[in-house]
């Protein structure tokens, strides 16, 4: 597949942004920087970040065993998703394919950019409907968004299904792996060398426990990363976030312990919720949340709220009638939730 033919003509014509700082590592370097109109008095944040925060990029590259030029960092993965849409989809002409019920941002990004969203519902078992997707696609279908594990359903898409889409879809396939650290299925990262149209997005917002610092990561071929780099804001990831992320990545053991605890919490909640009469169905999950079908989602949502517990009512999503999405909390929070659920009247 020729990625060049997928790029918006305006983006293709752009020269990459160059900053005076591109070539220098200001952190620890003995240079005298009089080039960027910064205040020279050291506060640890008086300098601009690198256009490519390569310390963090290199660390992730080593951790994930990809090349640094296959990585782009964003202000959350939401920014990465936005860059993908803006780099490849021509407003008013191109379209994207999304598979509801899924993460709402794909649709929003398409709408903001005046890109048609072709929604192809997941099957009853929340797997992609391959033939319907391929049928919905045309030569203007630039991006197919796969969210696996999927939000809000919690399941992963089967390897067979994803492979078939990677082979048959003629545009970019974005696999949003925001929840991959909770999953028993392996990341699709290893496949980026085999599929030039594959883009993986991950985030530090969920398992890494750093939603506040807004760091999202895009993994793809060098060719795709170069395109996205052309249109990203030069200093899109700030210095404080980079420090925090680097600190977190030096302590993967803690991260793994937290993920293990969250998975235990998930098992606990699923077990306990089996006996709640108004919970009609508990969907299997490979993420840090559980989708449950209840008798009356609006009513149960309100009852929980009255007891100061906030969950997400996903009833407005197709196939999610009367469904609540519950994030796994700490052991104390999970117990508090179960105790309340058991107390609520029928
Ligand atoms: C939470 C979430 C994101 C957003 O990640 P940020 O990095 O915080 O922007 C992306 N995709 C899915 C599926 C999510 O649930």
């Amino acid at each position: 597949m020729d990625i060049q033919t997928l790029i918006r003509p305006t983006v293709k014509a752009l020269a990459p942004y160059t900053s005076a700082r591109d070539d220098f590592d200001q952190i620890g370097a003995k240079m005298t920087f009089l080039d960027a109109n910064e205040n020279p008095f050291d506060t640890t944040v008086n300098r601009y970040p690198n256009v490519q925060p390569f310390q963090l990029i290199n660390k992730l590259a080593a951790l994930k065993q990809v090349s640094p030029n296959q990585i782009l960092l964003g202000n959350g993965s939401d920014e990465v998703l936005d860059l993908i849409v803006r780099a490849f989809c021509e407003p008013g002409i191109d379209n994207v394919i999304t598979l509801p019920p899924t993460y709402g941002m794909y649709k929003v990004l398409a709408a903001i950019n005046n890109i048609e969203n072709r929604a192809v519902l997941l099957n009853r078992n929340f797997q992609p409907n391959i033939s319907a997707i391929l049928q919905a696609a045309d030569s203007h279908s630039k991006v197919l968004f796969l969210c696996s594990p999927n939000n809000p359903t919690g399941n992963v898409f089967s390897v067979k299904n994803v492979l078939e889409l990677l082979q048959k879809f003629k545009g970019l396939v974005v696999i949003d792996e925001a929840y991959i650290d909770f999953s028993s299925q392996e990341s699709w990262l290893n496949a980026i060398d085999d599929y030039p149209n594959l883009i993986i997005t991950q985030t530090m917002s969920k398992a890494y426990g750093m939603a506040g610092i807004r760091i999202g990561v895009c993994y793809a071929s060098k060719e795709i990363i170069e395109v996205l780099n052309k249109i990203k804001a030069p200093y899109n990831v700030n210095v404080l976030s980079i420090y925090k992320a680097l600190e977190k990545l030096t302590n993967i053991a803690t991260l793994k312990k937290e993920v293990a605890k969250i998975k235990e919490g998930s098992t606990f909640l699923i077990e306990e919720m089996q006996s709640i009469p108004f919970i009609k169905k508990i969907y299997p999950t490979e993420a840090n949340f559980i989708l449950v079908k209840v008798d009356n989602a609006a009513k149960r949502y309100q009852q929980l709220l009255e007891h100061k517990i906030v969950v997400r009512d996903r009833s407005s999503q197709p196939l999610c009638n009367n469904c609540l999405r519950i994030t796994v909390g700490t052991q104390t929070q999970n117990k508090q939730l179960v105790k309340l659920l058991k107390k609520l009247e029928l």
Side-chain angles (χ1 to χ4, degrees):
M1 183 176 304
D2 186 4
I3 297 303
Q4 295 302 316
T5 62
L6 298 174
I7 306 169
R8 283 175 65 196
T10 41
V11 172
K12 208 168 165 176
L14 281 176
Y17 176 88
T18 56
S19 142
R21 277 301 153 72
D22 268 351
D23 306 327
F24 304 106
D25 173 16
Q26 82 263 31
I27 302 163
K30 298 275 184 291
M31 310 294 272
T32 301
F33 286 113
L34 304 175
D35 58 341
N37 302 346
E38 298 145 332
N39 179 324
F41 301 107
D42 184 15
T43 60
T44 73
V45 292
N46 57 310
R47 298 293 177 187
Y48 279 100
N50 287 89
V51 172
Q52 297 300 335
F54 59 83
Q55 285 179 307
L56 184 51
I57 287 177
N58 290 345
K59 191 122 199 171
L60 286 167
L63 196 70
K64 305 281 180 172
Q65 304 191 310
V66 299
S67 159
N69 60 24
Q70 294 175 313
I71 299 180
L72 172 132
L73 298 179
N75 182 23
S77 46
D78 283 351
E79 188 195 19
V80 172
L81 297 168
D82 182 52
L83 290 174
I84 295 166
V85 172
R86 286 195 290 124
F88 293 97
C89 302
E90 192 64 31
I93 294 176
D94 289 331
N95 64 75
V96 299
I97 297 184
T98 62
L99 314 182
T102 192
Y103 186 49
M105 205 60 195
Y106 315 134
K107 180 175 153 184
V108 171
L109 292 173
I112 291 171
N113 292 291
N114 188 24
I115 307 297
E116 182 194 349
N117 171 34
R118 298 194 173 169
V120 181
L121 285 194
L122 292 174
N123 290 335
R124 296 241 146 253
N125 55 353
F126 297 144
Q127 288 293 318
N129 183 340
I130 309 261
S131 56
I133 292 167
L134 296 174
Q135 212 160 21
D138 61 20
S139 61
H140 290 293
S141 301
K142 293 292 186 71
V143 185
L144 166 62
F145 287 103
L146 305 180
C147 186
S148 182
N150 187 38
N151 175 6
T153 59
N155 64 302
V156 286
F157 296 159
S158 76
V159 171
K160 179 178 161 286
N161 282 341
V162 174
L163 271 181
E164 192 170 348
L165 288 168
L166 275 172
Q167 285 157 0
K168 294 186 179 163
F169 183 69
K170 300 275 183 277
L172 299 171
V173 176
V174 175
I175 307 182
D176 183 338
E177 294 190 334
Y179 299 97
I180 194 65
D181 301 283
F182 302 105
S183 174
S184 58
Q185 196 187 76
E186 247 185 86
S187 164
W188 281 92
L189 258 184
N190 298 333
I192 55 174
D193 289 328
D194 299 328
Y195 296 94
N197 60 332
L198 172 60
I199 300 179
I200 310 280
T201 63
Q202 294 184 357
T203 176
M204 299 195 80
S205 298
K206 307 284 158 61
Y208 284 72
M210 309 199 98
I213 69 170
R214 311 302 302 125
I215 292 201
V217 193
C218 178
Y219 300 94
S221 68
K222 173 171 174 278
E223 196 178 7
I224 291 175
I225 297 297
E226 272 170 9
V227 178
L228 299 179
N229 265 324
K230 271 193 185 181
I231 67 162
K232 87 171 179 74
Y235 310 111
N236 62 329
V237 179
N238 75 75
V239 172
L240 294 175
S241 296
I242 296 166
Y243 288 157
K244 272 285 185 193
L246 283 169
E247 195 182 286
K248 185 79 191 182
L249 291 177
T250 60
N251 199 347
I252 297 293
T254 305
L255 170 81
K256 288 195 170 149
K257 266 185 226 158
E258 285 171 4
V259 167
K261 275 190 195 158
I262 291 167
K263 284 184 178 174
E264 276 171 35
S266 173
T267 308
F268 167 79
L269 283 177
I270 290 169
E271 260 170 39
E272 293 292 323
M273 288 193 298
Q274 313 272 2
S275 61
I276 312 284
F278 61 81
I279 295 182
K280 304 297 175 195
K281 184 159 187 179
I282 304 167
Y283 294 90
T285 182
E286 303 240 357
N288 66 334
F289 55 81
I290 304 163
L291 189 73
V292 296
K293 196 182 270 302
V294 297
D295 55 346
N296 181 338
K299 172 178 158 187
R300 301 305 172 185
Y301 174 86
Q302 203 53 41
Q303 284 177 327
L304 292 176
L305 203 57
E306 277 157 20
H307 292 84
K308 299 195 159 43
I309 295 181
V310 190
V311 297
R312 197 91 204 270
D313 185 352
R314 296 282 70 196
S315 297
S316 61
Q317 290 263 321
L319 310 178
C320 293
N321 194 25
N322 280 320
C323 284
L324 299 176
R325 191 193 67 195
I326 302 172
T327 306
V328 179
T330 61
Q331 196 177 39
T332 312
Q333 292 170 333
N334 299 338
K335 283 184 174 162
Q336 181 197 359
L337 172 69
V338 167
K339 198 171 152 198
L340 174 59
L341 289 173
K342 288 185 172 170
K343 228 171 51 185
L344 293 181
E345 97 290 6
L346 263 182

